[in-house]
Amino acid sequence: MSQQLYDELLKSPQGLINGTLRDVIIPAILGKETDEMLYWIGKDLARQYPVASPEDLITLTHQLGLGDLTLQRKSKTSQLWQLGGPIVASRIKKDEENTSFGLECGYLAQEIEFQLGTVVEGRISARHHNFIEILLKNDPQTNSTTERTELATFIQVHPTNTNDESQPSRKHRRAKKSHPA
């Protein structure tokens, strides 16, 4: 690993360990097959965390550290999603065209396949400096036949709360101080 790569990963939003695993170790193991293999790994990831709604998908994608997901447009046979945020921008900046987003494409394709009940395939439709666009295509005539024999049980995603619930808010603490003991 070069000093430059080390410094970039250390300062990146994904951190040194996640960046090293995702952008150094996995490509070293998979070689030219990285993008395709990550696509299928992304599908497997979605099978571990199936969600029932686009809103839950957006929340879970953020919680998994994949980036900030936004639905751009939707039709009967396709959906265009934008994936951005600091993690995606730093990954793109580090390696422009060679950065693999196969994991994200497979993950989104499988999640939407669960939601629609039809076969869905995903691919990157555009790369920008700080986000990518993922196009998902589905065939409403072709029902999904997932590798699992049981039906997906959707998880309930809870938005992350940045406030520590165990600590009273400042307003609450001030209110307590103003009351005589």
Side-chain angles (χ1 to χ4, degrees), residues 50-147:
V51 293
S53 71
E55 295 79 18
D56 284 350
L57 177 58
I58 290 167
T59 301
L60 182 61
T61 301
H62 180 77
Q63 290 173 339
L64 287 170
L66 298 177
D68 299 328
L69 190 62
T70 308
L71 180 60
Q72 297 298 302
R73 69 176 181 265
K74 179 179 176 180
S75 73
K76 186 177 179 181
T77 59
S78 69
Q79 295 182 17
L80 182 66
W81 291 85
Q82 179 178 307
L83 184 66
I87 289 173
V88 173
S90 71
R91 290 186 68 228
I92 292 171
K93 181 181 177 185
K94 185 176 70 58
D95 204 7
E96 293 280 329
E97 292 297 317
N98 294 322
T99 301
S100 173
F101 288 97
L103 181 85
E104 292 82 350
C105 289
Y107 162 77
L108 287 176
Q110 186 62 55
E111 289 288 5
I112 298 302
E113 188 169 308
F114 280 138
Q115 293 175 23
L116 298 178
T118 62
V119 173
V120 177
E121 292 184 10
R123 65 174 177 82
I124 294 178
S125 64
R127 285 178 184 259
H128 300 273
H129 292 294
N130 56 353
F131 67 93
I132 60 168
E133 292 177 343
I134 299 174
L135 179 63
L136 302 177
K137 293 246 181 195
N138 70 295
D139 178 4
Q141 305 300 319
T142 308
N143 289 335
S144 171
T145 55
T146 183
E147 288 84 15

